[in-house]
Amino acid sequence: MTRLKLGKLICVGTGMRMAGQVTPLARSHIETADVVVSAVPNIFTRNWIQGIAKEFICVLGYYTDCDVDGKNRRDTYRRMADTILENVRAGKTVCAAFYGHPGIFACISHMAIKDARAEGYIAEMLPGISAEDCLVADLGIDPGRTGMQSMETTQFMIYERRIDPTAMFILWQPALAGELSLKRFDTTAARLQVLVDKLARDYPLDHEVILYEAATSPLEKTRADKLRLRDLPSASLQQITTLVIPAAFPLRPDQAIVDLLNALPELPVAV
Ligand SMILES: C[S@@+](CC[C@H](N)C(=O)[O-])C[C@H]1O[C@@H](n2cnc3c(N)ncnc32)[C@H](O)[C@@H]1O
C-alpha cells in the first residue's frame, strides 16, 4: 500500500480585488500553512498575505529569468513550481497563492499539483474568483444567454480554431497577442492587426468589442471601453486587459434537431 508522505500542497486564489475576494477557506490556509509561496503581482495583496502568513516566499522575481539567453516564460513557470515542490518535499504544508482563480490561465498550480501527487503527496486546489467571474458581474453578461468561448489570444491566433460568432468570445492576454518568443510581456499594432484580420473571418470589422479591466482595489475604476473591432490595433492594452467580443449574430435554430425532438414519443404520464 502506498503511504502518503508528510508535506502537503493547497493552491488557493486571492480573487481580483485586494483581500476582499479571498474565500474564508483560502484565507485560513494562508494563515495556517507552514509556508505561503506566492506569485501575486498586486503589492497590497502581497503585503496582506505576507502579514498573515507564518512564512512567505515571493516568486515574482523569477520573471527576470526571461532576460537570460535561451530561457523563456515556461522556464520561469517551471522554476516557480519547483520552489513550491521543494517546500512540500521538506515536509511542510505549503499554500501556493495566485491571484484570481489559482487554476484559470495559471499553469504553475496545475504543474505543482500534478508533480506533488505523482510523488505521493496530498495536493489540492481551491477555487477563487477569476477575472471572468468579475467580468460577468461588471458587464452584466450572462454566459448562459448565448454561450461563451474563452481562449488565450495567441493560442487563438496560431492554431486553427472554429469560432462561433453567435456566442460571446473572451480573449485572455490580448496585451501579449502574437508574442511568440515567450520572453516579452507586450505586443505591437502589427500583431494586433493580425489578430483583427483573423477575427474578421467571423466578425464584421465594425462589431463592438470591449476592453475589460476589473478594478483590483476600491480606489480603482473598472475599465469597460467599447470600440470597433477594426480599432483594436491602436487601443491601449495593459497586461490585465481582457478582450470581450459579444455575440455578433442571433442564434439560429437547428430545425432538424427540433423536428427530431418533437417526433420522439411523449413520456407516459406519471400516476
Ligand atoms: C495569467 S492570466 C491570470 C488569470 C487569473 N488567474 C484569473 O483567475 O483571472 C492573466 C490574464 O487574466 C486577465 N486579467 C488579469 N487581471 C485582470 C483584471 N484586473 N481585469 C480583467 N482581466 C484580468 C487578463 O486577460 C490577463 O492577461
Side-chain angles (χ1 to χ4, degrees):
M1 194 177 82
T2 327
R3 237 167 38 106
L4 286 168
K5 299 180 195 164
L6 204 65
K8 185 177 171 183
L9 171 62
I10 306 106
C11 294
V12 303
T14 61
M16 307 305 296
R17 197 173 259 231
M18 192 184 98
Q21 288 178 346
V22 71
T23 65
L25 196 52
R27 181 188 172 126
S28 150
H29 283 296
I30 292 171
E31 283 173 327
T32 57
D34 296 318
V35 58
V36 178
V37 180
S38 151
V40 174
N42 182 292
I43 185 162
F44 300 109
T45 308
R46 211 160 57 228
N47 289 344
W48 174 76
I49 295 173
Q50 190 163 12
I52 62 170
K54 289 186 192 163
E55 187 192 340
F56 177 77
I57 300 173
C58 176
V59 290
L60 279 181
Y62 295 5
Y63 278 111
T64 53
D65 289 2
C66 293
D67 300 339
V68 176
D69 267 356
K71 294 209 171 197
N72 64 32
R73 281 204 288 284
R74 290 207 182 105
D75 300 293
T76 299
Y77 299 150
R78 185 63 260 171
R79 191 174 157 213
M80 289 176 173
D82 287 345
T83 297
I84 293 170
L85 283 158
E86 275 161 27
N87 282 276
V88 174
R89 288 185 197 118
K92 297 180 188 174
T93 294
V94 181
C95 175
F98 303 87
Y99 79 95
H101 186 303
I104 295 191
F105 291 87
C107 61
I108 306 152
S109 54
H110 289 289
M111 265 195 259
I113 288 177
K114 184 164 169 260
D115 292 354
R117 284 181 181 162
E119 292 181 28
Y121 297 101
I122 291 177
E124 61 173 323
M125 181 185 290
L126 302 182
I129 295 183
S130 70
E132 194 172 287
D133 295 313
C134 296
L135 181 157
V136 167
D138 286 335
L139 303 185
I141 304 177
D142 181 352
R145 203 166 63 80
T146 61
M148 185 172 78
Q149 307 152 101
S150 177
M151 223 173 274
E152 202 276 329
T153 304
T154 300
Q155 187 194 80
F156 164 70
M157 293 170 78
I158 65 175
Y159 290 97
E160 289 184 14
R161 310 301 308 248
R162 292 172 72 177
I163 297 306
D164 175 0
T166 67
M168 167 159 77
F169 187 19
I170 295 180
L171 281 167
W172 299 68
Q173 305 196 141
L176 273 58
E179 203 294 295
L180 299 183
S181 75
L182 301 182
K183 287 171 94 59
R184 298 178 58 102
F185 291 87
D186 53 14
T187 186
T188 62
R191 288 176 186 155
L192 286 169
Q193 188 59 53
V194 174
L195 171 64
V196 168
D197 292 345
K198 183 155 185 182
L199 286 167
R201 295 177 191 173
D202 293 292
Y203 296 91
L205 280 170
D206 62 357
H207 185 52
E208 192 173 74
V209 301
I210 305 167
L211 295 176
Y212 171 70
E213 291 167 16
T216 57
S217 88
L219 302 174
E220 285 175 14
K221 273 179 65 182
T222 292
R223 178 183 185 195
D225 289 347
K226 295 184 174 164
L227 66 162
R228 303 280 164 209
L229 177 58
R230 67 158 52 82
D231 296 327
L232 189 60
S234 57
S236 157
L237 300 180
Q238 318 301 322
Q239 276 189 41
I240 64 164
T241 310
T242 297
L243 175 62
V244 183
I245 308 180
F249 305 105
L251 290 169
R252 283 215 323 251
D254 186 336
Q255 198 52 50
I257 295 289
V258 176
D259 292 344
L260 269 177
L261 291 172
N262 282 330
L264 290 177
E266 291 289 332
L267 279 178
V269 181
V271 279

Coordinates of all heavy atoms in Angstrom, one line a residue, residues 20 35 60 92 120 164 181 187 194 202 224 234 262:
G20 N -10.4 41.5 -0.5 CA -11.9 41.4 -0.3 C -12.5 40.2 -1.1 O -13.6 39.8 -0.8
V35 N 4.2 27.5 5.1 CA 4.8 28.5 4.2 C 3.8 28.8 3.1 O 3.1 28.0 2.6 CB 6.2 28.0 3.7 CG1 6.0 26.7 2.9 CG2 6.8 29.1 2.8
L60 N 7.8 36.1 -7.6 CA 7.6 37.0 -8.8 C 9.0 37.4 -9.5 O 9.0 37.6 -10.7 CB 6.9 38.3 -8.4 CG 5.4 38.2 -8.2 CD1 4.9 39.6 -7.8 CD2 4.8 37.8 -9.5
K92 N 6.7 20.3 4.6 CA 5.9 21.4 5.0 C 4.5 21.3 4.4 O 4.3 20.8 3.3 CB 6.5 22.7 4.6 CG 7.9 23.0 5.3 CD 8.4 24.3 4.8 CE 9.9 24.5 5.3 NZ 10.5 25.7 4.7
G120 N 3.5 11.3 -4.5 CA 2.8 10.7 -3.3 C 2.3 11.7 -2.2 O 2.0 11.3 -1.1
D164 N -17.5 30.5 -32.9 CA -19.0 30.6 -33.1 C -19.3 32.1 -32.8 O -19.4 32.5 -31.6 CB -19.7 29.6 -32.2 CG -21.2 29.8 -32.3 OD1 -21.7 30.7 -33.1 OD2 -21.9 29.1 -31.6
S181 N 8.0 34.7 -28.7 CA 9.3 34.4 -28.1 C 9.1 33.9 -26.6 O 10.0 33.3 -26.0 CB 10.2 35.7 -28.0 OG 9.8 36.6 -27.1
T187 N 2.9 43.6 -26.9 CA 2.5 43.3 -28.3 C 2.8 44.5 -29.1 O 3.3 45.5 -28.6 CB 1.1 42.8 -28.4 OG1 0.9 42.3 -29.7 CG2 0.1 43.8 -28.1
V194 N -2.9 41.5 -37.1 CA -3.1 40.1 -37.5 C -4.2 39.5 -36.7 O -5.0 38.7 -37.3 CB -1.8 39.3 -37.2 CG1 -1.9 37.8 -37.5 CG2 -0.6 39.9 -38.0
D202 N -14.8 35.9 -39.0 CA -16.1 35.6 -38.3 C -16.9 36.8 -37.9 O -18.1 36.6 -37.6 CB -15.8 34.7 -37.1 CG -15.3 33.3 -37.5 OD1 -16.0 32.6 -38.1 OD2 -14.1 33.1 -37.2
A224 N -14.2 49.4 -19.0 CA -15.1 48.6 -19.9 C -15.2 49.5 -21.1 O -16.3 50.1 -21.4 CB -16.5 48.4 -19.3
S234 N -4.9 50.2 -32.4 CA -4.4 51.4 -31.9 C -4.9 51.6 -30.4 O -4.7 52.7 -29.8 CB -4.9 52.6 -32.7 OG -6.3 52.5 -32.8
N262 N -39.2 16.7 -31.4 CA -40.7 16.8 -31.4 C -41.3 15.4 -31.9 O -42.4 15.1 -31.5 CB -41.2 17.9 -32.3 CG -41.1 19.2 -31.7 OD1 -41.2 19.3 -30.4 ND2 -40.9 20.3 -32.4

